[in-house]
């Protein structure tokens, strides 16, 4: 009987086992979603049910840094990264208590150039207040990882060299001064990236960076994420979770 291909000595080392890409959920605002043209808001009730779904499945939401550290140890199969973009003031009021209730961590990507401002980059509104410096410190003190979303929320693929450096490197320096802690993570505004933006983030010293659908640039500085919104009930979350595992290629080094 002929030997199977797997049992033949081909003279080549076996292919390394590659885990699925880490599952990182992308949230924005938590509050009233009655006027939400960009679909960036989930109600506290919906977030509560989504976190409950994670826990029922034996999963736990954590910061991206905790997720990547666990995977580096060959662990973390039961961990899901939870990220909140833009640094809305409602994070402290409405999201943080629910994260504590369900024993979850998260990464909050903020804009140090817009402290206490609003989401002026969204032309259709509605205007949503952003966290002040004190609000960011409060979130950090309660165990939330603080990452940079740039200084002012500009598309880095359209930025000139000076703006790109300020948005990436200066935002990190300002946040480290504000929090008194290292800032390891970056999140690309609008999720848009190119090789130049990724290189700038890497050179600024970030350990990782989150995108949305980075395509061939996928890597530790261009992590894919899964959008989670108000319409994501339990069955939709289940579908998104498994589609991500099936469709996303593994991330080199993770």
């Amino acid at each position: 009987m002929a030997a199977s291909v797997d049992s033949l000595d081909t003279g080549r080392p076996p292919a390394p086992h590659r885990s699925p890409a880490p599952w990182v959920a992308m949230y924005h605002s938590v509050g009233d979603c009655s006027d939400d043209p960009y679909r960036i808001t989930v109600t506290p009730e919906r977030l509560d049910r989504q976190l409950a779904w994670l826990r029922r499945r034996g999963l736990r939401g954590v910061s991206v840094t905790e997720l990547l550290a666990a995977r580096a140890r060959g662990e973390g199969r039961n961990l899901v990264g939870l990220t909140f973009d833009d640094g809305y003031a409602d994070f402290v009021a409405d999201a943080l208590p629910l994260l504590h209730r369900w024993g979850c961590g998260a990464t909050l990507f903020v804009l140090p150039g817009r402290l206490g401002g609003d989401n002026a980059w969204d032309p259709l509104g509605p205007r949503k207040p952003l966290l002040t410096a004190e609000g960011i410190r409060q979130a950090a003190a309660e165990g939330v990882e603080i990452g940079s979303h740039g200084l002012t929320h500009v598309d880095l693929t359209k930025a000139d060299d000076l703006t790109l450096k300020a948005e990436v490197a200066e935002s990190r320096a300002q946040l480290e001064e504000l929090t008194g802690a290292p800032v390891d993570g970056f999140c690309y505004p609008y999720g848009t990236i190119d090789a130049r933006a990724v290189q700038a983030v890497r050179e600024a010293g970030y350990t990782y960076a989150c995108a949305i659908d980075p395509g061939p640039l996928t890597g530790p500085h261009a992590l894919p994420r899964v959008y989670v919104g108000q319409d994501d009930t339990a069955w939709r979350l289940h579908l998104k979770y498994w589609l991500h595992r099936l469709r996303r290629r593994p991330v080199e080094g993770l």
Side-chain angles (χ1 to χ4, degrees), residues 163-182:
T163 301
L164 177 61
K165 183 174 182 180
E167 291 289 328
V168 173
E170 182 60 26
S171 65
R172 185 176 190 229
Q174 289 189 22
L175 285 175
E176 289 185 337
E177 182 177 358
L178 188 155
T179 63

Side-chain angles (χ1 to χ4, degrees), residues 44-56:
E45 294 77 16
R46 177 64 73 194
L47 177 61
D48 187 52
R49 290 194 289 269
Q50 290 167 345
L51 296 178
W53 175 85
L54 285 177
R55 300 302 271 169
R56 284 197 307 270

Side-chain angles (χ1 to χ4, degrees), residues 65 102 143 232 252:
T65 286
W102 292 105
D232 286 319
E252 292 290 345

Side-chain angles (χ1 to χ4, degrees), residues 10 16 29 32 34 111 166 194 218:
T10 63
S29 174
D32 179 11
S34 58
L111 299 154
D194 58 16
T218 297

Side-chain angles (χ1 to χ4, degrees), residues 119-143:
N119 56 328
W121 61 88
D122 287 335
L124 299 179
R127 297 279 74 87
K128 288 176 172 283
L130 303 177
L131 287 167
T132 63
E134 183 55 38
I136 292 172
R137 291 192 192 99
Q138 179 182 344
E142 295 194 36

Side-chain angles (χ1 to χ4, degrees), residues 18 21 188 191-195 198 210-225 244 247-252:
R18 303 182 74 193
Y188 300 94
T192 56
I193 65 170
D194 58 16
V198 173
C210 289
I212 298 176
D213 187 3
L217 292 174
T218 297
H221 290 90
L223 292 171
R225 291 186 296 168
H244 178 82
R247 296 169 60 184
R248 290 290 189 190
R249 65 180 184 172
V251 178
E252 292 290 345

